[in-house]
Amino acid sequence: TEEEIRETILSASIILVSGGNTLYAVERWKELGIDKLIRQAASDGAVLCGGSAGAICWFEEGHSQSLNPALSLHVDPDLTEEEKQNWEYIRVDGLGFLPGLCVPHHDVAQSNGVPRTEDSNEMMKEKPAQPCVGIDEEAVLVVEGDQVRVVSAKADATCCVKVCEDTEDGELEIVSYPFTEEDGAVSIEQLLADPATVLEEPETVDDISNNE
């Protein structure tokens, strides 16, 4: 019931959101008023966490595989291998606790075979003023108050902040600032507004492509 949903969310110390279809989840939450309950729980001190869709949902927007037919509400058991691979990433709305575009699984390609690093670079050009946060498969982005840091489960797993910059010939260039566990805690506002002031050694999109 609605009352049970309300009591469950408002009494929670931790709200963990799993992976899945972000587009469906956020729309459904808003239909049921769950987004408002989550916001109230957070203001009361609940910890918000999750992975994949459960990371995207806390941001303003996300780079999502919600069109992946394997993530639909009612998965067709007769999907062919071609159908499982024939889909595109989309931009989806989150709940807006954090600004920017979130890209989970940043260092991998999903079942469509398209690397999320490359596709999110193209998506960024649709909104060049919006910062982008990439989270690698084995990395965690931890936000505590106005500070943010990275925890890595593997030595080469990191996060990054990507921004669009104008080149001399008028083109848009993606500049990526690696954000690692060694960077410690930094101001999230400063990180997203001007990553060059808190992170070092940026890479252009060409550098990223050459490293893959």
Side-chain angles (χ1 to χ4, degrees):
T1 66
E2 290 185 9
E3 186 58 33
E4 289 173 329
I5 293 173
R6 177 182 177 82
E7 289 180 2
T8 299
I9 293 175
L10 295 184
S11 65
S13 299
I14 300 172
I15 297 176
L16 171 65
V17 179
S18 70
N21 191 311
T22 319
L23 179 65
Y24 171 78
V26 172
E27 287 183 352
R28 186 63 173 155
W29 293 346
K30 291 180 177 180
E31 287 175 4
L32 297 174
I34 289 175
D35 59 321
K36 296 181 176 64
L37 295 176
I38 292 175
R39 196 169 296 278
Q40 183 176 340
S43 67
D44 291 339
V47 174
L48 309 180
C49 57
S52 194
I56 288 176
C57 67
W58 310 125
F59 281 79
E60 176 186 8
E61 293 183 320
H63 179 269
S64 171
Q65 57 171 328
S66 290
L67 294 187
N68 182 345
L71 296 179
S72 63
L73 186 59
H74 302 290
V75 178
D76 182 353
D78 298 321
L79 282 173
T80 65
E81 288 304 312
E82 182 179 359
E83 289 172 329
K84 291 177 183 178
Q85 299 170 11
N86 187 24
W87 56 272
E88 296 181 352
Y89 300 108
I90 59 170
R91 181 189 297 270
V92 297
D93 288 336
L95 297 181
F97 285 90
L98 298 170
L101 178 75
C102 175
V103 187
H105 316 288
H106 183 259
D107 56 336
V108 302
Q110 308 297 154
S111 61
N112 61 2
V114 179
R116 294 187 81 140
T117 299
E118 296 176 8
D119 195 85
S120 60
N121 288 341
E122 293 304 311
M123 184 176 288
M124 286 179 64
K125 295 177 182 179
E126 300 168 4
K127 292 188 177 182
Q130 183 183 54
C132 173
V133 177
I135 306 173
D136 282 358
E137 187 87 352
E138 299 291 340
V140 179
L141 189 73
V142 181
V143 180
E144 297 176 287
D146 63 354
Q147 299 288 298
V148 60
R149 59 189 173 90
V150 174
V151 176
S152 299
K154 291 172 58 179
D156 59 347
T158 66
C159 294
C160 67
V161 177
K162 301 193 292 188
V163 295
C164 285
E165 295 184 359
D166 292 318
T167 63
E168 293 181 357
D169 57 4
E171 298 294 324
L172 283 176
E173 178 180 73
I174 305 299
V175 179
S176 178
Y177 293 85
F179 185 24
T180 71
E181 197 169 62
E182 287 70 31
D183 290 312
V186 301
S187 162
I188 189 168
E189 181 178 0
Q190 190 173 3
L191 178 71
L192 297 181
D194 191 1
T197 62
V198 291
L199 302 178
E200 300 178 355
E201 300 180 3
E203 300 173 322
T204 65
V205 66
D206 291 334
D207 291 332
I208 295 169
S209 297
N210 289 337
N211 288 337
E212 290 179 345

